[in-house]
Amino acid sequence: MSDVHLELTQVGIEFPTPKGPFRALRDVNLKINQGEFISLIGHSGCGKSTVLNIVAGLYEATEGGVLLDGKEVRTPGPERAVVFQNHSLLPWLSAYENVELAVDQVFKGSKTPAEKKEWIEHNLKLVHMDHAMHKRPDEISGGMKQRVGIARALSMQPEVMLMDEPFGALDALTRAHLQDSLMEIQKDLNNTVIMITHDVDEAVLLSDRIVMMTNGPAATIGEILHVDLPHPRDRLALADDPQYNHYRSEVLRFLYEKQRKVEH
Amino acid sequence: MNPLTWSFVEPFYKLISGEDRKGQMKKITQMLGLPMMGLLVFLLLWQGASSSINTSLGQFPGPVQTYQQFTNLVDEAQEEAVKEERFYERQEERNARKLEKNPEAEIKIRDYVGPPTFFDQIGRSLVTVMSGFILASLIAIPIGIVIGLNSNVYAAVNPLIQIFKPVSPLAWLPLVTMVVSAVYISDDPMFDKAFLNSMFTVLLCCLWPTIINTAAGVATVTQDLKNVSQVLNLSWMTHVRKIVLPCSIPMMFTGLRISLGIAWMVLIAAEMLAQNPGLGKFVWDEFQNGSSESLGRIMVAVIVIGIVGFVLDRGMLMVQKAVSWDKSVALR
């Protein structure tokens, strides 16, 4: 493939513990193209977040490495924006100011104050938060906080967007709304996205490829499933689609037959 | 500021506007009635106890004598103010006459050097305590932030803080005195040495609670927020300004309030020992004076010290409320 955007090669990581090193990941190989939407799915504790954190630069791989457009990634940076699981908004800043912090940092000197303001408002509008942009996180609901978190990540104009279980803490209806919003945004922006999820439906609905991970320790990629459904996708129409249900059962089979989690 | 937002105005306003009269009366009783009762009982006990204590300087002052001494102190301050005014008037007249005789004459305005009144002493004490406190905070907050951010620095500095924290600042006073007189040598000193001695003693005791609490506040920055800062590539200064400072403000103010409370207590003792003008010196001078009025005057000072300490704490609370982002937290 010629337009490989992000490449993980033989990535592995060990964490030092008092009982000796703990191997969390080994031999993770993945090539991601520009504009691809990738889901990482697996049982909890399988190292999904670790993969994401390595791509984000928050962890450093013990072996192997990550290339973004041919350049090695070692430290965190705004070109790999992260949407955190628990939104991680600064509680003392309004939605607008939270996005502003990112915009000020990324477009330091390249946008005038008026352009910055317009850009912040544009991104909040994308996630349908323009009506409450001067509210602080404790004044808005969980779903709205996550929307602001996404707006903050989008506002950095990232090369890759990393989403760490972005909708994990939300109720099913709010989650569906946010998934729809995300698909809508994705249609326009065509970002490269890596998303961690526990939710099989979410993975099939949103992704171009689903990366299924084996159980830890020493987790790695088990299978990769291409989801060949045309965009835009509609959750109601897909509910009865045999192809959709086939993908769904593939993932379920991997998770509950091949990688059955043994609870200790 | 909208006076209706003051909690003590609200029930009166509602009472007048006829809203839930019974409930408002109950609120007012709780807010004013009970504290008044407490005060009354205290005054009665004080009166009863004082009349049965006889000292070599006469009877222990009760509420009435204390109040009399308070009015005396007010009168003395007024007399002093009048004297000062006359002093400057006389000077002006003399200078005017001089100029009449000889327009080239050099004119001097001499400062009035009367004895400081009780109220001057309060002012001096406040200046001393605030200089020490502000200087200490300017030193302690940055140190607290640095050691809170870096666990290695924390490990290195923590034993020192733990050892110096319990030291009574008065133990420092002789050392401070010697160092100030050795180091601060000037023909035309900007500050009085006694002032510097008490100020530095206050400073030394203000450092520790602020350092410890600021560092603890910095430690409340969660990993999530640190990750945000890293992903955004925030510079160290921006990280501190935008994330660490707002996060640690509640704990920082806890430290500042403890510091100011200790500072005020220590200051009185330091002024007694350093002979720096202020409430402490006033108490000491009255004690040395040993007149029949002395005990009453000291009692006035005791009450004033208490009230000033209370007002200082409330002031800090108001600043804390103004700068803290989380207005939902009940601050008391």
Side-chain angles (χ1 to χ4, degrees):
Chain A
M1 273 187 258
S2 57
D3 53 351
V4 172
H5 187 46
L6 186 75
E7 188 173 359
L8 283 75
T9 315
Q10 287 298 107
V11 169
I13 192 166
E14 273 182 358
F15 293 108
T17 68
K19 289 185 219 149
F22 170 78
R23 171 155 291 279
L25 285 178
R26 63 175 173 84
D27 306 334
V28 176
N29 289 294
L30 188 63
K31 288 187 167 76
I32 299 170
N33 294 331
Q34 173 72 49
E36 235 188 331
F37 196 115
I38 302 282
S39 287
L40 284 179
I41 199 164
H43 292 286
S44 44
C46 75
K48 306 182 295 283
S49 293
T50 313
V51 174
L52 201 82
N53 282 331
I54 290 172
V55 178
L58 293 167
Y59 291 165
E60 202 176 334
T62 318
E63 61 266 334
V66 180
L67 294 179
L68 178 65
D69 287 330
K71 275 190 217 109
E72 191 176 10
V73 161
R74 287 187 160 276
T75 51
E79 78 282 359
R80 281 160 285 124
V82 183
V83 178
F84 297 92
Q85 181 175 8
N86 46 3
H87 66 77
S88 295
L89 300 176
L90 308 189
W92 46 86
L93 298 182
S94 69
Y96 181 92
E97 290 164 329
N98 263 290
V99 180
E100 189 181 32
L101 181 68
V103 170
D104 277 345
Q105 184 67 16
V106 175
F107 298 102
K108 216 186 285 172
S110 64
K111 274 193 199 300
T112 64
E115 283 170 338
K116 278 185 195 164
K117 183 170 185 289
E118 200 186 328
W119 177 242
I120 296 163
E121 285 171 356
H122 168 73
N123 279 289
L124 285 164
K125 206 168 274 171
L126 273 182
V127 296
H128 305 297
M129 279 300 296
D130 41 328
H131 62 289
M133 61 184 174
H134 296 296
K135 291 203 165 142
R136 282 212 317 254
D138 57 356
E139 297 167 324
I140 59 182
S141 69
M144 289 159 96
K145 281 180 223 176
Q146 207 49 273
R147 284 176 190 271
V148 179
I150 294 172
R152 177 172 65 185
L154 289 172
S155 76
M156 300 177 207
Q157 242 174 13
E159 306 268 352
V160 184
M161 194 141 98
L162 307 170
M163 306 179 89
D164 188 355
E165 278 188 61
F167 313 135
L170 305 176
D171 66 89
L173 284 175
T174 313
R175 195 185 307 170
H177 277 297
L178 277 159
Q179 287 162 354
D180 290 343
S181 291
L182 187 59
M183 283 194 283
E184 201 184 308
I185 293 164
Q186 197 52 18
K187 193 180 74 193
D188 297 336
L189 300 181
N190 205 29
N191 275 318
T192 310
V193 180
I194 303 178
M195 180 179 74
I196 292 178
T197 181
H198 275 124
D199 181 338
V200 177
D201 287 299
E202 181 172 281
V204 179
L205 184 67
L206 296 174
S207 321
D208 297 313
R209 273 193 293 162
I210 300 174
V211 174
M212 293 174 267
M213 298 202 46
T214 65
N215 289 336
T220 186
I221 293 174
E223 286 177 28
I224 297 180
L225 180 73
H226 279 266
V227 182
D228 223 350
L229 295 169
H231 291 279
R233 295 171 184 168
D234 174 66
R235 75 175 65 241
L236 283 179
L238 286 174
D240 295 325
D241 186 302
Q243 193 64 20
Y244 174 84
N245 283 312
H246 164 71
Y247 291 132
R248 212 174 157 271
S249 55
E250 285 283 306
V251 180
L252 286 171
R253 195 165 294 131
F254 177 85
L255 288 176
Y256 297 104
E257 272 180 24
K258 299 177 190 163
Q259 292 293 327
R260 187 145 49 148
K261 179 85 173 170
V262 187
E263 294 293 340
H264 300 285
Chain B
M1 212 190 261
N2 178 6
L4 285 182
T5 59
W6 300 343
S7 54
F8 63 89
V9 179
E10 194 197 326
F12 288 102
Y13 178 77
K14 284 190 177 161
L15 189 70
I16 294 164
S17 64
E19 190 184 324
D20 180 25
R21 291 227 151 106
K22 238 184 188 169
Q24 302 314 321
M25 280 310 287
K26 201 174 158 194
K27 258 192 198 164
I28 291 171
T29 318
Q30 246 183 2
M31 207 173 60
L32 284 178
L34 294 179
M36 290 296 231
M37 278 251 289
L39 194 64
L40 203 71
V41 170
F42 169 73
L43 287 177
L44 285 173
L45 285 175
W46 178 11
Q47 180 63 48
S50 64
S51 56
S52 57
I53 302 174
N54 279 303
T55 71
S56 59
L57 294 179
Q59 207 184 53
F60 190 82
V64 179
Q65 292 94 313
T66 306
Y67 180 72
Q68 279 166 355
Q69 285 314 316
F70 177 71
T71 52
N72 280 355
L73 286 167
V74 173
D75 291 344
E76 280 168 28
Q78 278 165 350
E79 277 166 33
E80 200 61 34
V82 171
K83 269 194 211 164
E84 187 177 347
E85 207 177 306
R86 287 214 190 108
F87 175 80
Y88 283 115
E89 269 171 24
R90 280 202 305 277
Q91 267 197 88
E92 263 169 44
E93 278 167 28
R94 200 181 311 135
N95 286 333
R97 259 181 276 134
K98 241 188 198 173
L99 283 176
E100 232 169 70
K101 277 187 208 156
N102 173 15
E104 310 278 281
E106 250 181 74
I107 291 173
K108 269 191 220 154
I109 303 270
R110 255 182 279 267
D111 285 335
Y112 181 70
V113 279
T117 67
F118 180 64
F119 300 94
D120 293 339
Q121 309 267 41
I122 299 177
R124 286 300 300 268
S125 280
L126 280 172
V127 168
T128 315
V129 83
M130 288 319 284
S131 332
F133 171 72
I134 290 170
L135 215 58
S137 305
L138 289 179
I139 298 168
I141 291 173
I143 293 180
I145 287 174
V146 169
I147 68 172
L149 283 175
N150 190 322
S151 54
N152 292 333
V153 181
Y154 180 80
V157 179
N158 192 41
L160 293 175
I161 296 173
Q162 298 303 336
I163 287 172
F164 285 127
K165 188 181 64 154
V167 175
S168 163
L170 297 176
W172 287 108
L173 189 65
L175 297 174
V176 170
T177 310
M178 297 316 290
V179 171
V180 165
S181 43
V183 174
Y184 191 69
I185 301 163
S186 155
D187 295 330
D188 179 26
M190 210 162 106
F191 301 109
D192 192 23
K193 271 182 189 161
F195 166 78
L196 289 179
N197 293 341
S198 359
M199 203 250 320
F200 281 121
T201 308
V202 167
L203 186 151
L204 280 170
C205 78
C206 278
L207 287 176
W208 317 113
T210 306
I211 292 182
I212 291 170
N213 282 285
T214 305
V218 171
T220 63
V221 179
T222 58
Q223 188 58 44
D224 288 332
L225 294 188
K226 285 182 206 162
N227 284 346
V228 170
S229 171
Q230 278 193 298
V231 167
L232 286 175
N233 272 347
L234 293 185
S235 65
W236 192 84
M237 267 316 286
T238 320
H239 174 65
V240 168
R241 216 156 37 87
K242 296 276 185 180
I243 294 181
V244 173
L245 270 180
C247 221
S248 47
I249 270 181
M251 285 295 282
M252 194 190 291
F253 267 88
T254 306
L256 288 174
R257 279 173 70 192
I258 296 173
S259 287
L260 188 57
I262 297 176
W264 184 241
M265 283 202 267
V266 163
L267 175 76
I268 305 301
E271 281 172 346
M272 283 186 184
L273 291 172
Q275 289 295 298
N276 180 44
L279 283 167
K281 186 168 187 295
F282 174 85
V283 170
W284 188 251
D285 289 350
E286 286 301 332
F287 177 59
Q288 296 297 323
N289 197 12
S291 81
S292 57
E293 291 180 337
S294 289
L295 291 183
R297 285 164 166 254
I298 292 175
M299 205 59 212
V300 174
V302 165
I303 291 167
V304 166
I305 289 168
I307 292 172
V308 171
F310 172 72
V311 169
L312 286 177
D313 191 57
R314 289 286 115 167
M316 281 303 287
L317 192 64
M318 274 166 70
V319 177
Q320 178 173 14
K321 275 184 179 160
V323 299
S324 118
W325 54 273
D326 195 352
K327 313 278 182 206
S328 63
V329 173
L331 299 168
R332 43 167 71 207

